[in-house]
Structures are given as structure tokens and as C-alpha cells.
Amino acid sequence: QLQLVESGGGSVQAGDSLTLSCLVSGNNRFRGGSMGWFRRAPQAQKRDREGVAAIDDYGMTAYADSVTGRFTISKDNTKNTLYLQMNNLKVEDTAMYYCAVDSARTARQALGVLGAHPGFGDYGQGTQVTVSS
């Protein structure tokens, strides 16, 4: 069974940095697809999610406009771990962040469907990031 376990969230001040990690274990039937992060803002409906960053099997990346230049996604295949380096955090980055895998072949495709692709992807329990001014 596939498991994705996020860590690294916390409460920080605007302008600070955080690095999220996601350990992937078990049978990943979406291997060969893409991985990434999406987030849900406080009070958001379950269907309301924003793809933040994605990386495909070739290492190509895609980012939401709101985080471009501030966030960097990377992965270490030897450790089965996905990372999200978040710099210059803003209050509007406050959200629950989820690690996800998806069958989408390109990072750009994955960015649009992470966490909203039943049967074609999966995601973890999330880690909370709170940014205060």
C-alpha cells in the first residue's frame, strides 16, 4: 500500500523559510508519473486546492504563479523523498500542504490535478504551514 508522509511544516514569520519533506513508501503504482505538492487554505472546501509545485519523472518542474521564484521542488530518488523549499514566505502561503503522486506524465499536467485525480493519484495527510505578519 502506498504511503506518503509529510513533515517540516510549522509556524513562521513572513519572510522566513521552511523545507517540507515527503517520504514515499510502499507500492507506488503511479511510478513513472509525477509528484508534487498542493495546498488548501484555511476554511477551504475539500475540492478547493491549489497545485503548488510538481516534478515529473524526467526532473522537469512546474510551479504555480503565486510561488514561482520563491519555492523549489526537488526529489531524492535514493531516499524516496520529495522536498519543497519555501523561501520568502507570505501570509497568503498559510495552508495545509499535501504531498501527492499522480499518473500525469508531465509536471505541468500534474500541477493541475494533484489531489483532484481520484484513481489516478494519491496524497498524504498533510502538514500545516502558518505564516504570520
Side-chain angles (χ1 to χ4, degrees):
Q1 184 175 355
L2 178 64
Q3 284 192 316
L4 300 96
V5 180
E6 303 94 337
S7 61
S11 296
V12 297
Q13 298 287 317
D16 286 350
S17 298
L18 277 176
T19 299
L20 305 184
S21 299
C22 173
L23 177 63
V24 183
S25 62
N27 181 24
N28 184 5
R29 59 192 179 96
F30 308 108
R31 194 180 303 277
S34 302
M35 303 176 68
W37 299 86
F38 70 93
R39 64 188 181 187
R40 287 198 185 101
Q43 313 304 322
Q45 298 292 320
K46 187 175 182 179
R47 63 179 180 273
D48 295 326
R49 32 74 68 202
E50 178 188 19
V52 174
I55 184 167
D56 64 28
D57 209 39
Y58 297 98
M60 300 298 289
T61 60
Y63 296 92
D65 290 343
S66 57
V67 306
T68 297
R70 300 187 297 122
F71 290 12
T72 303
I73 188 171
S74 63
K75 61 180 178 176
D76 186 337
N77 291 329
T78 65
K79 297 181 179 180
N80 293 324
T81 302
L82 181 72
Y83 303 97
L84 184 67
Q85 173 68 43
M86 306 185 293
N87 297 327
N88 190 22
L89 282 161
K90 303 178 179 180
V91 172
E92 51 264 40
D93 293 320
T94 295
M96 184 72 82
Y97 284 73
Y98 298 86
C99 168
V101 295
D102 195 274
S103 59
R105 292 291 185 176
T106 72
R108 178 55 60 184
Q109 291 173 334
L111 195 63
V113 297
L114 288 172
H117 211 187
F120 294 91
D122 204 352
Y123 54 93
Q125 294 297 308
T127 185
Q128 177 68 38
V129 172
T130 302
V131 185
S132 57
S133 59

